[in-house]
Amino acid sequence: MWTQDIDPLDSIALSALVAAIPIVVFLVCLVALRLKGIYAALIALAVEIVIALWVFGMPVTAAGGAGLLGLLTAIWPIAFIIVMAVWLYRLAVASGRFDVIRGSIGGISPDQRIQVLLISFAFGAFLEGAAGFGVPIAICAALLVQLGFRPVKAAMISLVANAAAGAYGAIGIPVIVASQVSGIPVMELSQALVLLLQPLTLLIPFLLVMILDGWKGLRESWPAALVATLVFSGVQGSILWFLGPELADIGAGLATMVAIFVFGRVWQPKHIFREDGGTAPAPTRYSLGQIVAAWSPFYILTAFVAVWSIPAFKALFAPDGALAATVLMFPMPGLTDAVSTAAGNPVTATWNFTPINATGTAILLAVIVSFLVMPTMKVRDLFGQLGKTLAELWQALALIAVILVLANIANFSGGTTSMGVALAAVGPIFPLIAPIIGWIGVFLTGSVVNNNTLFAPLQVATGERIDVSPGLLVAANTAGGNTAKVISPQSIAIAAGAVGLSGREGEILRASILYSLGMLAFICIWNFVLSLLV
């Protein structure tokens, strides 16, 4: 059995720097050399393989198993979820219902700054809470393009807006997983995240308006941004503090959509902003029944995902559940019983194929039910839209697969842990950089859940050594990872595919990276301050 060596160069700092080279290569290829995302990822993957095999001593069989696990995970559940979500969106467009959605939003306000608050901020949070896994980024970015936004701006705004909700996506799973692997009670983590993330969340609506229209836009539309942020943060913070993370995004997103709708009835900016400088199209009036029917795919989506997320449904697929036989687990050759961590714990790496209780299956059922209530759509239209979805997304899905192969090799070689341990070695100032560990984890894996699985135990152990609240550090790991979702390769690929820019991921990354780093810096400083007070 091969044991990971997280310090192969006998200097944890040097080993960590070498482990970070593939990340640097990927960023340089995208930002400086402006290569297509898939080419940048393949180059970074080649570098990662060399470092894992040559520097960290990873056996070829273990690297192959790690890569296979990454590829299979990219297919199921990630690609399945993304394809189903975009298929649902395209079905709504093809049926004409999206015209009603667009018209109903335009009826609330023709001002694109208000539309951003409604769609990317409020509706995006609602979708993040219901489904997660890139669904809100794909749907909101595509919707903004339909409303006349430039593709790069639509993608970037949707990525930044997701920072208000990403920490609690998919019915609070990131926080629940962090609790499970760290031993910190869920409510303690939820309350720590309120203290840590809500100040940033309060600023995001104002930031979105400024991204779109600068200081002038903020002066003209600050009342709407203020209403959105007070309602959103108030509801989200209250749910987190008193109930936990499960409904934090769904409740806040719904409440904010209603608040913007009501506020739009009594107040509008004096100057209507349009990104192209043109005149806003005259809003089409729709009846309440038409609007409800048009939005029905997303209500249906939420209902199915909510059912899939309730404990009673999940219990059916537990090891002793009635449907446990439908959960198929495949140990990865070269990893399971062949690799142990640096601490001497054997690795158990499995790929789970869950055809019934997968989130993508819930979305597939939402597609089917939505189709059945669309009388104008035929079966050939249904599958025609699926074909167009696959043709549109294949480059983005290929990029995600390559990145997950890279991330798994980095994780199982010990490289990711090496970076985390090196950062933890700084002692008393660790709270200042604790969010950076989470940022690295999400950048590599594209998932706050995976990031917490990797690094939450490290945060707890470090907090106990330096006498800082372990709950605060696990929250910092979650919050820092949340800011990385703005530029994680998976998120960028999803956004690019949604707005028709597959192959031009570098443009979106260049537009978004400063916002990710700025939010990370804010979280780092605020976490350090809190560590002195809590």
Side-chain angles (χ1 to χ4, degrees):
M1 180 177 290
W2 175 70
T3 300
Q4 294 174 353
D5 183 0
I6 64 173
D7 187 16
L9 301 178
D10 296 323
S11 166
I12 192 63
L14 183 58
S15 296
L17 285 173
V18 172
I21 288 175
I23 300 175
V24 176
V25 168
F26 182 77
L27 289 172
V28 168
C29 287
L30 272 182
V31 178
L33 302 182
R34 303 193 175 191
L35 297 181
K36 287 186 176 182
I38 187 64
Y39 298 147
L42 287 170
I43 293 171
L45 174 59
V47 174
E48 176 60 49
I49 291 172
V50 170
I51 290 173
L53 298 181
W54 180 49
V55 179
F56 285 84
M58 189 180 197
V60 173
T61 53
L68 177 61
L69 179 59
L71 177 61
L72 292 175
T73 303
I75 296 170
W76 188 282
I78 293 175
F80 183 45
I81 291 170
I82 294 169
V83 170
M84 292 302 102
V86 176
W87 188 18
L88 178 66
Y89 158 74
R90 291 191 64 95
L91 200 62
V93 173
S95 68
R97 296 196 172 190
F98 224 77
D99 295 332
V100 180
I101 293 175
R102 184 169 60 246
S104 66
I105 292 172
I108 295 173
S109 177
D111 191 297
Q112 289 185 326
R113 297 165 299 195
I114 311 302
Q115 292 173 353
V116 160
L117 296 176
L118 178 65
I119 298 169
S120 292
F121 184 66
F123 185 47
F126 172 79
L127 291 174
E128 181 69 35
F133 294 100
V135 171
I137 294 169
I139 289 178
C140 292
L143 179 52
L144 290 183
V145 171
Q146 287 281 325
L147 289 168
F149 287 72
R150 294 185 179 94
V152 171
K153 185 67 67 69
M156 183 261 283
I157 285 175
S158 296
L159 288 163
V160 172
N162 190 246
Y168 320 110
I171 320 295
I173 291 299
V175 182
I176 293 170
V177 168
S179 172
Q180 291 172 341
V181 301
S182 68
I184 306 295
V186 170
M187 288 305 300
E188 182 179 337
L189 283 180
S190 294
Q191 293 171 357
L193 281 162
V194 172
L195 297 176
L196 184 57
L197 264 180
Q198 287 307 306
L200 176 63
T201 301
L202 281 165
L203 297 175
I204 287 178
F206 302 103
L207 177 61
L208 295 174
V209 170
M210 290 185 62
I211 290 173
L212 192 60
D213 194 27
W215 284 103
K216 172 180 172 291
L218 187 59
R219 288 195 301 269
E220 292 180 350
S221 57
W222 68 265
L226 182 63
V227 168
T229 197
L230 290 179
V231 171
F232 188 93
S233 294
V235 173
Q236 187 183 64
S238 297
I239 292 175
L240 286 167
W241 194 269
F242 295 108
L243 299 177
E246 288 86 350
L247 297 176
D249 285 344
I250 290 178
L254 276 173
T256 306
M257 282 191 281
V258 172
I260 294 173
F261 172 78
V262 173
F263 189 66
R265 296 292 182 177
V266 298
W267 180 90
Q268 290 291 331
K270 292 182 179 179
H271 168 252
I272 300 301
F273 171 79
R274 304 289 297 176
E275 193 180 11
D276 58 6
T279 303
T284 304
R285 300 297 178 185
Y286 296 100
S287 68
L288 179 60
Q290 288 176 305
I291 294 174
V292 170
W295 283 88
S296 63
F298 303 108
Y299 304 147
I300 295 168
L301 167 67
T302 302
F304 275 109
V305 173
V307 170
W308 257 239
S309 303
I310 61 177
F313 184 83
K314 290 182 177 181
L316 296 173
F317 304 91
D320 58 348
L323 298 177
T326 65
V327 178
L328 307 178
M329 304 175 67
F330 300 91
M332 284 296 102
L335 293 179
T336 299
D337 299 327
V339 175
S340 67
T341 66
N345 301 316
V347 167
T348 302
T350 60
W351 176 64
N352 297 337
F353 180 66
T354 53
I356 297 177
N357 64 321
T359 301
T361 303
I363 305 174
L364 172 60
L365 292 174
V367 169
I368 295 171
V369 173
S370 297
F371 167 73
L372 292 175
V373 297
M374 294 176 177
T376 61
M377 299 294 290
K378 307 298 182 185
V379 173
R380 65 174 178 274
D381 300 321
L382 176 68
F383 289 102
Q385 292 304 316
L386 176 60
K388 291 178 181 178
T389 298
L390 292 171
E392 180 181 274
L393 290 179
W394 75 267
Q395 290 189 55
L397 298 177
L399 174 56
I400 291 171
V402 174
I403 289 297
L404 279 176
V405 170
L406 184 157
N408 274 273
I409 293 175
N411 294 340
F412 287 105
S413 70
T416 301
T417 304
S418 179
M419 288 184 280
V421 171
L423 288 172
V426 299
I429 65 167
F430 178 76
L432 184 66
I433 62 173
I436 298 175
I437 296 177
W439 191 96
I440 292 171
V442 171
F443 184 85
L444 280 173
T445 67
S447 166
V448 182
V449 174
N450 291 342
N451 162 57
N452 281 337
T453 302
L454 287 171
F455 291 132
L458 171 66
Q459 300 278 6
V460 171
T462 305
E464 291 171 346
R465 286 199 299 269
I466 65 176
D467 196 28
V468 172
S469 167
L472 179 63
L473 293 184
V474 175
N477 194 73
T478 304
N482 183 47
T483 65
K485 287 189 72 176
V486 176
I487 61 163
S488 76
Q490 284 188 45
S491 297
I492 295 288
I494 291 168
V499 300
L501 292 180
S502 292
R504 297 168 59 185
E505 292 84 5
E507 296 179 38
I508 300 173
L509 176 62
R510 288 190 293 274
S512 309
I513 189 167
L514 290 181
Y515 297 105
S516 174
L517 295 176
M519 289 189 286
L520 175 63
F522 179 92
I523 293 296
C524 288
I525 295 170
W526 181 233
N527 186 60
F528 184 70
V529 172
L530 286 176
S531 73
L532 302 176
L533 301 175
V534 176

